[in-house]
mmCIF file of all heavy atoms in Angstrom:
data_model
loop_
_atom_site.group_PDB
_atom_site.id
_atom_site.type_symbol
_atom_site.label_atom_id
_atom_site.label_comp_id
_atom_site.label_asym_id
_atom_site.label_seq_id
_atom_site.Cartn_x
_atom_site.Cartn_y
_atom_site.Cartn_z
ATOM 1 N N VAL A 115 90.751 76.011 33.865
ATOM 2 C CA VAL A 115 91.061 75.390 32.614
ATOM 3 C C VAL A 115 89.809 74.727 31.955
ATOM 4 O O VAL A 115 88.788 74.471 32.681
ATOM 5 C CB VAL A 115 92.083 74.171 32.776
ATOM 6 C CG1 VAL A 115 93.472 74.809 33.185
ATOM 7 C CG2 VAL A 115 91.617 73.212 33.783
ATOM 8 N N LEU A 116 89.876 74.475 30.683
ATOM 9 C CA LEU A 116 88.933 73.626 30.034
ATOM 10 C C LEU A 116 89.754 72.358 29.604
ATOM 11 O O LEU A 116 90.759 72.512 28.861
ATOM 12 C CB LEU A 116 88.455 74.306 28.708
ATOM 13 C CG LEU A 116 87.591 73.422 27.847
ATOM 14 C CD1 LEU A 116 86.266 73.117 28.515
ATOM 15 C CD2 LEU A 116 87.320 74.170 26.431
ATOM 16 N N PRO A 117 89.318 71.146 30.083
ATOM 17 C CA PRO A 117 90.078 69.998 29.607
ATOM 18 C C PRO A 117 90.009 69.779 28.109
ATOM 19 O O PRO A 117 88.984 69.966 27.493
ATOM 20 C CB PRO A 117 89.343 68.816 30.365
ATOM 21 C CG PRO A 117 88.617 69.540 31.517
ATOM 22 C CD PRO A 117 88.336 70.924 31.028
ATOM 23 N N VAL A 118 91.205 69.512 27.553
ATOM 24 C CA VAL A 118 91.272 69.268 26.028
ATOM 25 C C VAL A 118 92.184 68.115 25.828
ATOM 26 O O VAL A 118 93.005 67.746 26.764
ATOM 27 C CB VAL A 118 91.871 70.566 25.393
ATOM 28 C CG1 VAL A 118 90.938 71.645 25.473
ATOM 29 C CG2 VAL A 118 93.244 70.941 25.951
ATOM 30 N N GLN A 119 92.163 67.614 24.643
ATOM 31 C CA GLN A 119 93.110 66.554 24.226
ATOM 32 C C GLN A 119 93.498 66.713 22.778
ATOM 33 O O GLN A 119 92.810 67.363 21.964
ATOM 34 C CB GLN A 119 92.489 65.165 24.341
ATOM 35 C CG GLN A 119 91.294 64.876 23.525
ATOM 36 C CD GLN A 119 90.693 63.530 23.806
ATOM 37 O OE1 GLN A 119 90.836 63.024 24.935
ATOM 38 N NE2 GLN A 119 90.035 62.927 22.806
ATOM 39 N N ALA A 120 94.684 66.288 22.408
ATOM 40 C CA ALA A 120 95.193 66.488 21.052
ATOM 41 C C ALA A 120 94.266 65.834 19.972
ATOM 42 O O ALA A 120 93.774 64.731 20.232
ATOM 43 C CB ALA A 120 96.548 65.884 20.952
ATOM 44 N N GLY A 121 94.003 66.594 18.971
ATOM 45 C CA GLY A 121 93.085 66.174 17.889
ATOM 46 C C GLY A 121 91.644 66.607 18.125
ATOM 47 O O GLY A 121 90.805 66.479 17.282
ATOM 48 N N GLU A 122 91.309 67.057 19.328
ATOM 49 C CA GLU A 122 89.963 67.505 19.581
ATOM 50 C C GLU A 122 89.706 68.754 18.743
ATOM 51 O O GLU A 122 90.584 69.585 18.502
ATOM 52 C CB GLU A 122 89.798 67.854 21.028
ATOM 53 C CG GLU A 122 88.446 68.428 21.483
ATOM 54 C CD GLU A 122 88.459 68.898 22.935
ATOM 55 O OE1 GLU A 122 89.425 68.772 23.631
ATOM 56 O OE2 GLU A 122 87.420 69.471 23.349
ATOM 57 N N VAL A 123 88.421 68.907 18.381
ATOM 58 C CA VAL A 123 88.071 70.159 17.637
ATOM 59 C C VAL A 123 86.996 70.900 18.354
ATOM 60 O O VAL A 123 86.011 70.291 18.812
ATOM 61 C CB VAL A 123 87.543 69.687 16.204
ATOM 62 C CG1 VAL A 123 86.998 70.915 15.436
ATOM 63 C CG2 VAL A 123 88.587 69.049 15.346
ATOM 64 N N LEU A 124 87.289 72.200 18.497
ATOM 65 C CA LEU A 124 86.274 73.085 19.083
ATOM 66 C C LEU A 124 85.877 74.085 18.040
ATOM 67 O O LEU A 124 86.703 74.553 17.260
ATOM 68 C CB LEU A 124 86.929 73.914 20.290
ATOM 69 C CG LEU A 124 87.418 73.102 21.522
ATOM 70 C CD1 LEU A 124 88.123 74.113 22.429
ATOM 71 C CD2 LEU A 124 86.266 72.466 22.237
ATOM 72 N N THR A 125 84.596 74.375 17.912
ATOM 73 C CA THR A 125 84.198 75.458 17.092
ATOM 74 C C THR A 125 84.567 76.790 17.777
ATOM 75 O O THR A 125 84.932 76.853 19.028
ATOM 76 C CB THR A 125 82.668 75.462 16.895
ATOM 77 O OG1 THR A 125 82.018 75.722 18.161
ATOM 78 C CG2 THR A 125 82.174 74.186 16.332
ATOM 79 N N GLU A 126 84.590 77.823 17.028
ATOM 80 C CA GLU A 126 84.919 79.207 17.582
ATOM 81 C C GLU A 126 83.992 79.532 18.778
ATOM 82 O O GLU A 126 84.372 79.975 19.712
ATOM 83 C CB GLU A 126 84.787 80.200 16.493
ATOM 84 C CG GLU A 126 85.076 81.651 17.045
ATOM 85 C CD GLU A 126 84.860 82.711 15.961
ATOM 86 O OE1 GLU A 126 84.692 82.432 14.809
ATOM 87 O OE2 GLU A 126 84.687 83.879 16.415
ATOM 88 N N ARG A 127 82.672 79.209 18.532
ATOM 89 C CA ARG A 127 81.745 79.508 19.591
ATOM 90 C C ARG A 127 81.967 78.684 20.895
ATOM 91 O O ARG A 127 82.010 79.237 22.046
ATOM 92 C CB ARG A 127 80.327 79.229 19.112
ATOM 93 C CG ARG A 127 79.218 79.580 20.167
ATOM 94 C CD ARG A 127 77.875 79.290 19.670
ATOM 95 N NE ARG A 127 77.509 80.096 18.534
ATOM 96 C CZ ARG A 127 76.866 81.292 18.608
ATOM 97 N NH1 ARG A 127 76.528 81.740 19.810
ATOM 98 N NH2 ARG A 127 76.525 81.952 17.570
ATOM 99 N N GLN A 128 82.359 77.440 20.706
ATOM 100 C CA GLN A 128 82.746 76.576 21.903
ATOM 101 C C GLN A 128 83.992 77.123 22.581
ATOM 102 O O GLN A 128 84.036 77.168 23.775
ATOM 103 C CB GLN A 128 82.982 75.148 21.458
ATOM 104 C CG GLN A 128 81.639 74.340 21.191
ATOM 105 C CD GLN A 128 81.881 72.959 20.599
ATOM 106 O OE1 GLN A 128 82.886 72.762 19.808
ATOM 107 N NE2 GLN A 128 81.065 72.065 20.936
ATOM 108 N N ALA A 129 84.928 77.555 21.820
ATOM 109 C CA ALA A 129 86.136 78.070 22.395
ATOM 110 C C ALA A 129 85.850 79.443 23.198
ATOM 111 O O ALA A 129 86.394 79.568 24.305
ATOM 112 C CB ALA A 129 87.223 78.336 21.265
ATOM 113 N N LEU A 130 84.984 80.211 22.639
ATOM 114 C CA LEU A 130 84.651 81.421 23.332
ATOM 115 C C LEU A 130 83.886 81.122 24.617
ATOM 116 O O LEU A 130 84.052 81.718 25.613
ATOM 117 C CB LEU A 130 83.829 82.364 22.476
ATOM 118 C CG LEU A 130 84.635 82.992 21.373
ATOM 119 C CD1 LEU A 130 83.674 83.616 20.257
ATOM 120 C CD2 LEU A 130 85.579 84.053 21.858
ATOM 121 N N GLU A 131 82.965 80.097 24.454
ATOM 122 C CA GLU A 131 82.218 79.689 25.749
ATOM 123 C C GLU A 131 83.214 79.206 26.787
ATOM 124 O O GLU A 131 83.019 79.411 28.021
ATOM 125 C CB GLU A 131 81.224 78.576 25.414
ATOM 126 C CG GLU A 131 80.037 79.079 24.563
ATOM 127 C CD GLU A 131 79.191 78.008 24.048
ATOM 128 O OE1 GLU A 131 79.591 76.843 24.034
ATOM 129 O OE2 GLU A 131 78.022 78.231 23.602
ATOM 130 N N GLY A 132 84.213 78.314 26.368
ATOM 131 C CA GLY A 132 85.224 77.882 27.318
ATOM 132 C C GLY A 132 86.043 79.061 27.913
ATOM 133 O O GLY A 132 86.418 79.006 29.085
ATOM 134 N N LEU A 133 86.275 80.103 27.113
ATOM 135 C CA LEU A 133 87.025 81.213 27.601
ATOM 136 C C LEU A 133 86.163 82.014 28.664
ATOM 137 O O LEU A 133 86.807 82.400 29.655
ATOM 138 C CB LEU A 133 87.366 82.098 26.511
ATOM 139 C CG LEU A 133 88.075 83.400 26.718
ATOM 140 C CD1 LEU A 133 89.610 83.257 27.035
ATOM 141 C CD2 LEU A 133 87.850 84.442 25.605
ATOM 142 N N LEU A 134 84.984 82.209 28.390
ATOM 143 C CA LEU A 134 84.160 83.169 29.095
ATOM 144 C C LEU A 134 83.337 82.530 30.333
ATOM 145 O O LEU A 134 83.039 83.177 31.281
ATOM 146 C CB LEU A 134 83.195 83.909 28.245
ATOM 147 C CG LEU A 134 83.850 84.815 27.208
ATOM 148 C CD1 LEU A 134 82.878 85.261 26.155
ATOM 149 C CD2 LEU A 134 84.545 86.015 27.892
ATOM 150 N N LEU A 135 82.986 81.245 30.193
ATOM 151 C CA LEU A 135 82.197 80.667 31.283
ATOM 152 C C LEU A 135 82.986 79.916 32.299
ATOM 153 O O LEU A 135 83.114 80.437 33.451
ATOM 154 C CB LEU A 135 81.179 79.662 30.606
ATOM 155 C CG LEU A 135 80.177 80.257 29.559
ATOM 156 C CD1 LEU A 135 79.148 79.247 29.124
ATOM 157 C CD2 LEU A 135 79.573 81.574 30.121
ATOM 158 N N PRO A 136 83.713 78.858 32.055
ATOM 159 C CA PRO A 136 84.621 78.339 33.085
ATOM 160 C C PRO A 136 85.932 79.094 33.104
ATOM 161 O O PRO A 136 86.866 78.741 33.872
ATOM 162 C CB PRO A 136 84.867 76.929 32.623
ATOM 163 C CG PRO A 136 84.735 76.893 31.136
ATOM 164 C CD PRO A 136 83.654 77.983 30.899
ATOM 165 N N SER A 137 86.011 80.210 32.375
ATOM 166 C CA SER A 137 87.203 81.112 32.363
ATOM 167 C C SER A 137 88.467 80.395 32.191
ATOM 168 O O SER A 137 89.484 80.565 32.896
ATOM 169 C CB SER A 137 87.254 81.876 33.718
ATOM 170 O OG SER A 137 88.053 82.929 33.656
ATOM 171 N N ALA A 138 88.528 79.633 31.132
ATOM 172 C CA ALA A 138 89.717 78.705 30.862
ATOM 173 C C ALA A 138 90.891 79.524 30.383
ATOM 174 O O ALA A 138 90.894 80.063 29.334
ATOM 175 C CB ALA A 138 89.360 77.649 29.852
ATOM 176 N N ASP A 139 91.998 79.482 31.266
ATOM 177 C CA ASP A 139 93.183 80.245 30.826
ATOM 178 C C ASP A 139 93.868 79.658 29.595
ATOM 179 O O ASP A 139 94.398 80.238 28.750
ATOM 180 C CB ASP A 139 94.195 80.248 31.995
ATOM 181 C CG ASP A 139 93.562 81.052 33.228
ATOM 182 O OD1 ASP A 139 92.957 82.047 32.949
ATOM 183 O OD2 ASP A 139 93.732 80.535 34.336
ATOM 184 N N ASN A 140 93.801 78.265 29.561
ATOM 185 C CA ASN A 140 94.433 77.547 28.391
ATOM 186 C C ASN A 140 93.819 77.993 27.060
ATOM 187 O O ASN A 140 94.424 78.056 26.064
ATOM 188 C CB ASN A 140 94.513 76.104 28.621
ATOM 189 C CG ASN A 140 93.088 75.423 28.766
ATOM 190 O OD1 ASN A 140 92.309 76.029 29.523
ATOM 191 N ND2 ASN A 140 92.839 74.353 28.076
ATOM 192 N N VAL A 141 92.418 78.138 27.138
ATOM 193 C CA VAL A 141 91.697 78.572 25.893
ATOM 194 C C VAL A 141 92.061 79.928 25.457
ATOM 195 O O VAL A 141 92.099 80.256 24.249
ATOM 196 C CB VAL A 141 90.166 78.378 26.117
ATOM 197 C CG1 VAL A 141 89.412 78.823 24.905
ATOM 198 C CG2 VAL A 141 89.834 76.870 26.383
ATOM 199 N N ALA A 142 92.391 80.839 26.332
ATOM 200 C CA ALA A 142 92.876 82.119 26.047
ATOM 201 C C ALA A 142 94.098 82.031 25.125
ATOM 202 O O ALA A 142 94.143 82.755 24.049
ATOM 203 C CB ALA A 142 93.132 83.020 27.171
ATOM 204 N N ASP A 143 95.090 81.178 25.447
ATOM 205 C CA ASP A 143 96.252 80.996 24.516
ATOM 206 C C ASP A 143 95.900 80.305 23.267
ATOM 207 O O ASP A 143 96.435 80.716 22.169
ATOM 208 C CB ASP A 143 97.260 80.095 25.319
ATOM 209 C CG ASP A 143 97.854 80.899 26.536
ATOM 210 O OD1 ASP A 143 97.991 82.078 26.408
ATOM 211 O OD2 ASP A 143 98.350 80.150 27.449
ATOM 212 N N VAL A 144 94.913 79.371 23.287
ATOM 213 C CA VAL A 144 94.553 78.699 22.053
ATOM 214 C C VAL A 144 93.952 79.794 21.027
ATOM 215 O O VAL A 144 94.288 79.866 19.894
ATOM 216 C CB VAL A 144 93.444 77.621 22.298
ATOM 217 C CG1 VAL A 144 92.811 77.110 21.018
ATOM 218 C CG2 VAL A 144 94.065 76.432 23.053
ATOM 219 N N LEU A 145 93.115 80.617 21.598
ATOM 220 C CA LEU A 145 92.437 81.635 20.738
ATOM 221 C C LEU A 145 93.366 82.656 20.236
ATOM 222 O O LEU A 145 93.248 83.154 19.108
ATOM 223 C CB LEU A 145 91.239 82.255 21.423
ATOM 224 C CG LEU A 145 89.982 81.497 21.593
ATOM 225 C CD1 LEU A 145 89.047 82.133 22.579
ATOM 226 C CD2 LEU A 145 89.310 81.253 20.194
ATOM 227 N N ALA A 146 94.332 83.046 21.135
ATOM 228 C CA ALA A 146 95.383 84.002 20.671
ATOM 229 C C ALA A 146 96.181 83.488 19.490
ATOM 230 O O ALA A 146 96.386 84.190 18.556
ATOM 231 C CB ALA A 146 96.274 84.393 21.825
ATOM 232 N N ASP A 147 96.641 82.233 19.630
ATOM 233 C CA ASP A 147 97.471 81.629 18.577
ATOM 234 C C ASP A 147 96.593 81.573 17.292
ATOM 235 O O ASP A 147 97.144 81.834 16.105
ATOM 236 C CB ASP A 147 97.968 80.308 18.997
ATOM 237 C CG ASP A 147 99.140 80.369 19.942
ATOM 238 O OD1 ASP A 147 99.930 81.324 19.769
ATOM 239 O OD2 ASP A 147 99.324 79.521 20.762
ATOM 240 N N TRP A 148 95.369 81.076 17.498
ATOM 241 C CA TRP A 148 94.484 80.840 16.274
ATOM 242 C C TRP A 148 94.137 82.278 15.587
ATOM 243 O O TRP A 148 94.183 82.270 14.363
ATOM 244 C CB TRP A 148 93.224 80.199 16.752
ATOM 245 C CG TRP A 148 92.190 79.995 15.589
ATOM 246 C CD1 TRP A 148 92.295 79.138 14.616
ATOM 247 C CD2 TRP A 148 90.953 80.670 15.486
ATOM 248 N NE1 TRP A 148 91.122 79.239 13.810
ATOM 249 C CE2 TRP A 148 90.347 80.248 14.367
ATOM 250 C CE3 TRP A 148 90.329 81.758 16.260
ATOM 251 C CZ2 TRP A 148 89.041 80.683 13.894
ATOM 252 C CZ3 TRP A 148 89.106 82.238 15.792
ATOM 253 C CH2 TRP A 148 88.453 81.623 14.647
ATOM 254 N N ASP A 149 93.976 83.256 16.380
ATOM 255 C CA ASP A 149 93.630 84.503 15.722
ATOM 256 C C ASP A 149 94.768 85.233 15.138
ATOM 257 O O ASP A 149 94.692 85.768 14.000
ATOM 258 C CB ASP A 149 92.952 85.403 16.788
ATOM 259 C CG ASP A 149 92.570 86.757 16.274
ATOM 260 O OD1 ASP A 149 91.530 86.909 15.697
ATOM 261 O OD2 ASP A 149 93.397 87.674 16.405
ATOM 262 N N ALA A 150 95.811 85.305 15.794
ATOM 263 C CA ALA A 150 96.971 86.149 15.395
ATOM 264 C C ALA A 150 98.270 85.464 14.933
ATOM 265 O O ALA A 150 99.152 86.075 14.583
ATOM 266 C CB ALA A 150 97.316 87.151 16.543
ATOM 267 N N GLY A 151 98.252 84.027 15.159
ATOM 268 C CA GLY A 151 99.458 83.330 14.779
ATOM 269 C C GLY A 151 100.431 83.197 15.955
ATOM 270 O O GLY A 151 101.295 82.335 16.000
ATOM 271 N N SER A 152 100.321 84.072 16.857
ATOM 272 C CA SER A 152 101.148 83.901 18.163
ATOM 273 C C SER A 152 100.641 84.775 19.230
ATOM 274 O O SER A 152 99.836 85.716 18.942
ATOM 275 C CB SER A 152 102.653 84.437 17.809
ATOM 276 O OG SER A 152 102.678 85.841 17.658
ATOM 277 N N VAL A 153 100.956 84.468 20.465
ATOM 278 C CA VAL A 153 100.402 85.221 21.607
ATOM 279 C C VAL A 153 100.922 86.687 21.601
ATOM 280 O O VAL A 153 100.202 87.592 21.832
ATOM 281 C CB VAL A 153 100.780 84.556 22.996
ATOM 282 C CG1 VAL A 153 100.514 85.488 24.109
ATOM 283 C CG2 VAL A 153 99.995 83.285 23.067
ATOM 284 N N SER A 154 102.257 86.809 21.223
ATOM 285 C CA SER A 154 102.798 88.160 21.101
ATOM 286 C C SER A 154 102.054 89.087 20.156
ATOM 287 O O SER A 154 101.827 90.286 20.397
ATOM 288 C CB SER A 154 104.248 88.121 20.833
ATOM 289 O OG SER A 154 104.519 87.486 19.569
ATOM 290 N N ASP A 155 101.734 88.571 19.053
ATOM 291 C CA ASP A 155 101.042 89.354 18.037
ATOM 292 C C ASP A 155 99.633 89.682 18.476
ATOM 293 O O ASP A 155 99.117 90.722 18.191
ATOM 294 C CB ASP A 155 101.016 88.623 16.639
ATOM 295 C CG ASP A 155 102.366 88.646 15.939
ATOM 296 O OD1 ASP A 155 103.214 89.399 16.314
ATOM 297 O OD2 ASP A 155 102.459 87.891 14.972
ATOM 298 N N PHE A 156 99.010 88.729 19.208
ATOM 299 C CA PHE A 156 97.643 88.987 19.728
ATOM 300 C C PHE A 156 97.728 90.078 20.760
ATOM 301 O O PHE A 156 96.823 90.945 20.812
ATOM 302 C CB PHE A 156 97.141 87.702 20.312
ATOM 303 C CG PHE A 156 95.574 87.765 20.658
ATOM 304 C CD1 PHE A 156 94.656 87.623 19.696
ATOM 305 C CD2 PHE A 156 95.220 87.976 21.964
ATOM 306 C CE1 PHE A 156 93.286 87.713 19.907
ATOM 307 C CE2 PHE A 156 93.897 88.077 22.292
ATOM 308 C CZ PHE A 156 92.876 87.883 21.247
ATOM 309 N N LEU A 157 98.758 90.014 21.618
ATOM 310 C CA LEU A 157 98.889 91.145 22.576
ATOM 311 C C LEU A 157 98.957 92.476 21.948
ATOM 312 O O LEU A 157 98.354 93.493 22.528
ATOM 313 C CB LEU A 157 100.102 90.852 23.478
ATOM 314 C CG LEU A 157 99.972 89.675 24.441
ATOM 315 C CD1 LEU A 157 101.331 89.501 25.171
ATOM 316 C CD2 LEU A 157 98.841 89.961 25.416
ATOM 317 N N THR A 158 99.581 92.548 20.793
ATOM 318 C CA THR A 158 99.619 93.848 20.098
ATOM 319 C C THR A 158 98.199 94.278 19.743
ATOM 320 O O THR A 158 97.880 95.460 19.908
ATOM 321 C CB THR A 158 100.493 93.764 18.867
ATOM 322 O OG1 THR A 158 101.783 93.425 19.200
ATOM 323 C CG2 THR A 158 100.467 95.090 18.121
ATOM 324 N N LYS A 159 97.389 93.328 19.254
ATOM 325 C CA LYS A 159 96.078 93.698 18.967
ATOM 326 C C LYS A 159 95.279 94.129 20.219
ATOM 327 O O LYS A 159 94.486 95.153 20.122
ATOM 328 C CB LYS A 159 95.295 92.436 18.349
ATOM 329 C CG LYS A 159 95.709 92.132 17.003
ATOM 330 C CD LYS A 159 94.833 90.955 16.389
ATOM 331 C CE LYS A 159 95.220 90.642 15.022
ATOM 332 N NZ LYS A 159 94.252 89.604 14.393
ATOM 333 N N MET A 160 95.468 93.520 21.286
ATOM 334 C CA MET A 160 94.788 93.768 22.573
ATOM 335 C C MET A 160 95.114 95.241 23.031
ATOM 336 O O MET A 160 94.194 96.029 23.377
ATOM 337 C CB MET A 160 95.169 92.785 23.682
ATOM 338 C CG MET A 160 94.756 91.387 23.510
ATOM 339 S SD MET A 160 95.160 90.221 24.867
ATOM 340 C CE MET A 160 93.956 90.647 26.070
ATOM 341 N N ASN A 161 96.367 95.571 22.933
ATOM 342 C CA ASN A 161 96.803 96.935 23.412
ATOM 343 C C ASN A 161 96.377 97.977 22.471
ATOM 344 O O ASN A 161 96.071 99.087 22.812
ATOM 345 C CB ASN A 161 98.277 96.981 23.716
ATOM 346 C CG ASN A 161 98.647 96.171 25.013
ATOM 347 O OD1 ASN A 161 98.222 96.562 26.040
ATOM 348 N ND2 ASN A 161 99.440 95.159 24.886
ATOM 349 N N ASP A 162 96.446 97.667 21.090
ATOM 350 C CA ASP A 162 95.935 98.714 20.176
ATOM 351 C C ASP A 162 94.474 98.888 20.344
ATOM 352 O O ASP A 162 94.043 99.993 20.205
ATOM 353 C CB ASP A 162 96.274 98.194 18.743
ATOM 354 C CG ASP A 162 97.792 98.236 18.374
ATOM 355 O OD1 ASP A 162 98.550 98.889 19.179
ATOM 356 O OD2 ASP A 162 98.168 97.670 17.419
ATOM 357 N N THR A 163 93.757 97.876 20.510
ATOM 358 C CA THR A 163 92.315 97.958 20.737
ATOM 359 C C THR A 163 91.899 98.766 21.967
ATOM 360 O O THR A 163 91.027 99.558 21.943
ATOM 361 C CB THR A 163 91.608 96.650 20.727
ATOM 362 O OG1 THR A 163 91.896 95.895 19.579
ATOM 363 C CG2 THR A 163 90.063 96.742 20.799
ATOM 364 N N ALA A 164 92.707 98.536 23.052
ATOM 365 C CA ALA A 164 92.541 99.313 24.252
ATOM 366 C C ALA A 164 92.740 100.788 24.016
ATOM 367 O O ALA A 164 91.892 101.580 24.425
ATOM 368 C CB ALA A 164 93.453 98.769 25.315
ATOM 369 N N LYS A 165 93.762 101.159 23.238
ATOM 370 C CA LYS A 165 93.939 102.513 22.968
ATOM 371 C C LYS A 165 92.844 103.092 22.099
ATOM 372 O O LYS A 165 92.390 104.281 22.351
ATOM 373 C CB LYS A 165 95.304 102.723 22.173
ATOM 374 C CG LYS A 165 96.523 102.492 23.043
ATOM 375 C CD LYS A 165 97.820 102.591 22.249
ATOM 376 C CE LYS A 165 99.037 102.252 22.976
ATOM 377 N NZ LYS A 165 100.315 102.357 22.164
ATOM 378 N N ALA A 166 92.259 102.343 21.138
ATOM 379 C CA ALA A 166 91.232 102.902 20.341
ATOM 380 C C ALA A 166 89.997 103.069 21.155
ATOM 381 O O ALA A 166 89.162 103.987 20.744
ATOM 382 C CB ALA A 166 90.972 101.818 19.169
#
Side-chain angles (χ1 to χ4, degrees):
V115 295
L116 173 67
V118 295
Q119 64 184 27
E122 177 188 358
V123 173
L124 297 173
T125 65
E126 178 187 343
R127 184 182 293 271
Q128 286 175 323
L130 288 168
E131 290 172 346
L133 176 78
L134 295 169
L135 301 187
S137 197
D139 297 320
N140 59 315
V141 175
D143 290 333
V144 169
L145 283 169
D147 283 327
W148 176 71
D149 176 87
S152 69
V153 169
S154 61
D155 286 344
F156 190 80
L157 290 175
T158 299
K159 289 187 177 186
M160 294 180 79
N161 287 298
D162 287 348
T163 304
K165 290 179 183 178

